[in-house]
Amino acid sequence: MTRIDTSRPETVLPTPSHTVGPFYGHALPFPGGGDIAPLGHPDTIAVQGYVYDGEGNPLPDAFVELWGPDPDGNLPTVDGSMRRDPASGGFLGRNGVEFTGWGRVQTDANGHWSARTLWPGARGQSAPYLSVCVFARGLLVHLYTRIYLPGDDAALAGDPLLTRLDAQRRDTLIAAAQGDGTYRFDIRLQGEGETVFLEFQ
C-alpha cells in the first residue's frame, strides 16, 4: 500500500511498516481441539510431537490441523467440531459422540502438540495417513503434509506418494510408534530432517 503526499502530488511515499501477523493465538484455539476421537472410544490413538523451526528450536505458537477418514476409510460429513451456544456465541465443545475427523491444536510453551483420534482407514492405493496443515510464525502461507502410521510395511512400500521419495525423506512422513497406541510425529519446518511438505495445484 502506498500513500500520496497531497502537498506534492508527484511524490509517492511508502506506507510505514507495521508488525505482520497472523496472530494465531487470538481466535483460532478452542477447548478440546485435539479431542477428535469420540469420548471413551476403545480404538482411540494418540498422535503427538513438536514443531521445530529451521534452527531446531521448538515453536510455542504454531498450529497443527489434522484431518482423517474414519477406520473404514470414509471421510466424515458430520458437523460437531466447533459447536457454539446460539445465545451467547460461546464454545460448547464437541458433542463427544460424532467423529468429525478434524481437529486443531496449538503448540504449548515447549512447542509440543497432541491429539486423540481414530486410526485412519486406507483410501485407494494409499497407506493409512492423516492430512496435516501447519500454521506458524514466519509462514505467510501455511504448509501441508501427511502423517503416515507405521505397522503395515507392504502398504507403506506401495503408497503412491512415499514411493516417489528416497528413504531418508520418506521417513519424515512416518510417525514412530511409542507403544500404548501413541505415535510421535515431529514437524521440522526447515533444515536438517525437514519434513516433506506438499503443494496442491
Side-chain angles (χ1 to χ4, degrees):
M1 176 187 280
T2 58
R3 61 185 169 86
I4 297 174
D5 183 343
T6 55
S7 66
R8 299 183 63 191
E10 71 280 358
T11 304
V12 177
L13 302 173
T15 302
S17 62
H18 60 278
T19 301
V20 175
F23 303 104
Y24 299 117
H26 173 63
L28 291 177
F30 64 97
D35 297 327
I36 305 167
L39 293 175
H41 196 289
D43 299 325
T44 298
I45 62 170
V47 184
Q48 56 90 25
Y50 292 83
V51 178
Y52 295 105
D53 67 15
E55 296 179 346
N57 299 316
L59 291 178
D61 54 1
F63 271 92
V64 177
E65 286 191 355
L66 303 167
W67 298 272
D70 66 20
D72 294 323
N74 301 313
L75 295 176
T77 58
V78 297
D79 293 332
S81 292
M82 295 181 70
R83 297 180 313 132
R84 294 198 176 274
D85 182 331
S88 70
F91 180 71
L92 288 174
R94 297 176 187 266
N95 64 19
V97 176
E98 303 291 346
F99 176 71
T100 63
W102 179 82
R104 178 187 294 146
V105 186
Q106 183 174 11
T107 56
D108 64 17
N110 297 316
H112 184 262
W113 65 273
S114 64
R116 295 179 324 97
T117 189
L118 299 179
W119 187 278
R123 302 184 69 232
Q125 297 178 336
S126 296
Y129 69 86
L130 299 169
S131 296
V132 180
C133 183
V134 181
F135 302 81
R137 70 172 84 158
L139 296 179
L140 297 181
V141 178
H142 43 273
L143 301 173
Y144 294 100
T145 190
R146 290 180 177 178
I147 300 174
Y148 285 91
L149 297 173
D152 188 340
D153 292 340
L156 293 171
D159 182 87
L161 173 63
L162 293 178
T163 56
R164 297 173 61 189
L165 302 170
D166 63 52
Q168 187 174 15
R169 300 293 288 143
R170 182 171 42 243
D171 287 346
T172 70
L173 295 180
I174 302 173
Q178 296 189 297
D180 298 327
T182 300
Y183 299 87
R184 179 164 176 173
F185 186 80
D186 293 336
I187 299 168
R188 299 182 184 278
L189 300 181
Q190 288 181 319
E192 187 176 349
E194 177 184 324
T195 301
V196 170
F197 295 105
L198 309 176
E199 182 176 277
F200 294 97
Q201 299 179 350

